[in-house]
Amino acid sequence: MGRKALIAANWKMYKTPAEAADFVKAFLPLVAGHTRDEIALFPSPVLLPTVVAACAGSNVAVGAQNIYFAEEGAYTGETSVGQLKAIGGTHTLIGHSERRQCFAETDEIVNKKLHTALKHGLIPVVCIGEVLEEREAGKTADVLKTQVTGAFVGITPEAAAPIVIAYEPVWAIGTGKTATPEMAVEAHRIIRAEVAKLLGADVAANIRILYGGSVKPENATSLIGEEEIDGALVGGASLKADSFEKIVKY
Ligand code: PGA
C-alpha cells in the first residue's frame, strides 16, 4: 500500500536566521539522496525565507508552524497562506497542542485553517492528542474522535488527499516521556477508524498519521518502524542536524 513516511521538524520558537542557515548547511549533505521518506522543516515565521532559500532544489520541504484562516486583512500578528506560498512554503502545521493550550485554538479554528490550507494547495499537518488527565480518565479515544471530527467538518473525500495527521499525546511533548509503540499504534488505529467513518476506507487507508512527542534517535526506529506509524513530528531532537538526521534515517 506504501504510505511514504514524513519526518518533520517542529523548531517551535527557537533559532535565529543565522542558526537556521547553519542547520540547513549542515543537514542537507547528511540527507542528500534520501528518498525513502519525505522530510520537512517547520521554523518560526521570521526564519521561513532563509530556510526556504537554503533548502531550494533539495529533498527538504519547508512549512509554517501556523497559518491564519482568513485570506488577508486586519489580523495583527498572523500569517496568511498567500504570504507563506509567496515565499515558497509548501506545508503547515495546524492545531499544534501549544497553539491549542497557549493560544486558545479550538477544533473550530483548526477546521477553518484546514479548509484554507487545502484551498491553497498546502500540505496540512493537523495535530491532535490527549492531555494526561484525559488519558488517565480513559477518555483518549473520545478526545481523538472529537478532534478528528471537529477538524474535518465540511472536508470531502476528494479534498482530503493532502492531509496529514500528527498524533501527539500532550503529556509526551517536550517531557522526555514517549508513548510506547503499542500506545501510539492503538491511538493511530482509533484515528484511522474515525477517518474511515468520516471520509471512507480509501482516504483512511492512504492518510498519513505521524507520531509526535519526545521522538529521539534512540526511540525513532521502534515508533516509525510500526506499519501503523507513518512518520514523526519532532521537536527538541530536531534542533540539531545530526540528531534529526538519525531520526530521518531511523
Ligand atoms: P518534542 O515536541 O519532540 O520536543 O516532544 C514534539 C512537538 O511538539 O511536535
Side-chain angles (χ1 to χ4, degrees), residues 197-233:
K197 213 161 99 188
L198 295 167
L199 296 173
D202 282 356
V203 172
N206 289 315
I207 199 164
R208 289 180 293 179
I209 307 178
L210 318 184
Y211 169 79
S214 297
V215 175
K216 300 182 267 287
E218 302 78 53
N219 60 27
T221 307
S222 65
L223 288 158
I224 312 169
E226 289 284 348
E227 169 76 28
E228 185 50 68
I229 301 180
D230 307 314
L233 181 56

Side-chain angles (χ1 to χ4, degrees), residues 82-186:
Q83 290 169 327
L84 176 62
K85 289 204 74 180
I87 62 130
T90 52
H91 293 55
T92 187
L93 303 184
I94 297 178
H96 188 278
S97 65
E98 287 149 19
R99 299 291 318 168
R100 293 178 190 257
Q101 293 197 315
C102 306
F103 304 100
E105 280 195 16
T106 59
D107 289 335
E108 194 185 344
I109 293 172
V110 169
N111 174 247
K112 286 184 176 175
K113 291 182 171 186
L114 181 58
H115 278 278
T116 305
L118 290 173
K119 180 176 161 198
H120 290 275
L122 284 181
I123 298 175
V125 180
V126 178
C127 305
I128 62 174
E130 80 286 358
V131 301
L132 187 60
E133 300 77 64
E134 290 163 341
R135 175 159 286 269
E136 287 178 346
K139 292 186 183 150
T140 299
D142 285 346
V143 169
L144 297 177
K145 287 179 197 170
T146 301
Q147 289 177 333
V148 172
T149 308
F152 283 16
V153 171
I155 302 292
T156 62
E158 295 70 38
I163 301 174
V164 178
I165 295 175
Y167 168 61
E168 299 203 298
V170 179
W171 49 269
I173 294 179
T175 59
K177 288 185 201 149
T178 316
T180 61
E182 296 72 32
M183 286 160 93
V185 166
E186 189 190 4

Side-chain angles (χ1 to χ4, degrees), residues 27-115:
F27 182 65
L28 291 188
L30 298 177
V31 297
H34 185 93
T35 52
R36 182 193 60 181
D37 312 278
E38 283 175 29
I39 308 167
L41 304 176
F42 292 87
S44 298
V46 291
L47 307 180
L48 280 166
T50 304
V51 177
V52 167
C55 290
S58 78
N59 54 337
V60 178
V62 184
Q65 294 171 9
N66 178 40
I67 45 106
Y68 198 56
F69 53 77
E71 301 288 331
E72 62 178 358
Y75 301 103
T76 301
E78 294 295 324
T79 304
S80 75
V81 173
Q83 290 169 327
L84 176 62
K85 289 204 74 180
I87 62 130
T90 52
H91 293 55
T92 187
L93 303 184
I94 297 178
H96 188 278
S97 65
E98 287 149 19
R99 299 291 318 168
R100 293 178 190 257
Q101 293 197 315
C102 306
F103 304 100
E105 280 195 16
T106 59
D107 289 335
E108 194 185 344
I109 293 172
V110 169
N111 174 247
K112 286 184 176 175
K113 291 182 171 186
L114 181 58
H115 278 278

